Amino acid sequence: MVAGSRFSGGSIVITVRSLHLYPVKSLGRGISLPRATAGDRGFLHDRRFLVVDEEGRFLTQRVLPRMALVTVALAGDALWLTTPGAPPLDVPLAPSGGPLREVTIWRDRVLALGLGPVPARWLSEVLGRPCELVHMPDASLRATDPAYGPGLVGFADAYPFLLASLDSRAELARRGADVPMERFRPNVVVEGAAPFAEDGWKRLHIGTATFRVATRCVRCAITTVDPERGAFAGPEPLRTLAAFRAVEGGVVFGMNLVHEKTGEVSVGDEVLVEPG
């Protein structure tokens, strides 16, 4: 095992620098946490809500960059959505009793709980197109790509956890794409390894949780959205990544993780790495 931001007893120590939660897929800029519970399909409450169009197809900042302008917060057992010019909206974090409907996220069709006309009207007015808010109940199971081993995922694109390295972001900035880490929407941000050392990691032990590294994360146009303005801001970081991080199907930054052991993860935890 290897551990990174300082040297202790001759070994590099990698440290968790921040943790982030995104209760509604692609909505808002994420919630920073001092600690988080790693479950079987992501951090508790991460991406269990989804905005869909009238046909039940998922919506993201790829087509609606203004989704970044909605602030998402947790308060007790409620999810709160706020944005300038609209009254706040709150919905239960664990809704029940509503109608189930089939929604589409990429090639997956998933049963989700519709939250009714009030959230639908609020989001439709804020985002400027008809849409609805849905929730993934515990009984609705969505699998990760079996080519990278077993796993479950909520409404994240493909995997329940995304890890990114501050050292890799610094190298990206050095090459000309000095964009904030929040554009990559990671769950776990670490520091202390060499840039892109995470490419070779196989398994991670953080706090009381264990994660399997599945695959590198292919990046999309969401990384080019300025979350302050809710608008596309140009070709970076995709242009720079294309020069040295291109793979078949796109460009990569960050690592997709799947849980192997549930547990608690905290900012400041050391990251014990099993290399590939």
Side-chain angles (χ1 to χ4, degrees):
M1 293 184 184
V2 180
S5 63
R6 67 183 192 279
F7 286 85
S8 175
S11 63
I12 297 175
V13 180
I14 303 166
T15 306
V16 175
R17 289 305 183 197
S18 60
L19 299 168
H20 306 273
L21 182 71
Y22 310 89
V24 186
K25 178 179 176 62
S26 213
L27 203 65
R29 299 166 62 176
I31 301 170
S32 295
L33 302 171
R35 64 189 61 82
T37 300
D40 63 354
R41 65 181 89 184
F43 286 148
L44 182 64
H45 305 307
D46 189 62
R47 295 177 174 97
R48 294 297 290 270
F49 292 86
L50 182 69
V51 181
V52 297
D53 65 14
E54 292 177 297
E55 304 300 321
R57 294 173 300 216
F58 77 116
L59 295 172
T60 73
Q61 292 180 32
R62 295 173 182 88
V63 294
L64 287 175
R66 64 186 302 171
M67 292 177 75
L69 299 178
V70 177
T71 298
V72 181
L74 305 182
D77 58 359
L79 173 76
W80 284 84
L81 306 181
T82 58
T83 197
L89 172 73
D90 69 288
V91 298
L93 264 178
S96 61
L100 286 174
R101 61 171 300 183
E102 190 175 74
V103 299
T104 302
I105 175 167
W106 298 114
R107 291 177 291 181
D108 295 332
R109 294 187 176 183
V110 183
L111 284 179
L113 188 68
L115 297 187
V118 174
R121 184 166 54 251
W122 192 93
L123 283 167
S124 298
E125 292 175 356
V126 166
L127 299 179
R129 63 175 293 175
C131 53
E132 181 183 349
L133 187 64
V134 301
H135 177 265
M136 180 184 286
D138 290 342
S140 185
L141 302 180
R142 179 178 173 231
T144 58
D145 187 342
Y148 298 98
L152 295 175
V153 61
F155 285 129
D157 276 348
Y159 294 93
F161 302 94
L162 176 64
L163 176 143
S165 161
L166 286 172
D167 308 283
S168 300
R169 195 215 70 86
E171 174 63 14
L172 184 60
R174 189 188 71 80
R175 290 172 178 258
D178 190 5
V179 300
M181 182 63 88
E182 67 179 324
R183 288 208 197 176
F184 297 101
R185 301 179 74 80
N187 296 109
V188 182
V189 176
V190 301
E191 185 177 31
F196 302 105
E198 60 271 22
D199 287 354
W201 297 348
K202 178 181 179 181
R203 184 172 287 103
L204 307 177
H205 306 273
I206 310 174
T208 59
T210 300
F211 304 89
R212 183 178 74 253
V213 181
T215 182
R216 293 183 291 180
C217 182
V218 176
R219 308 313 311 216
C220 69
I222 289 178
T223 60
T224 69
V225 173
D226 177 358
E228 294 281 353
R229 298 187 296 114
F232 293 110
E236 295 296 359
L238 298 182
R239 179 172 61 186
T240 297
L241 286 171
F244 76 113
R245 298 287 292 172
V247 299
E248 183 178 356
V251 299
V252 292
F253 184 92
M255 306 301 292
N256 292 308
L257 312 180
V258 177
H259 100 288
E260 286 194 343
K261 177 187 174 186
T262 60
E264 299 295 315
V265 177
S266 299
V267 173
D269 281 346
E270 292 186 8
V271 181
L272 301 179
V273 176
E274 294 182 30

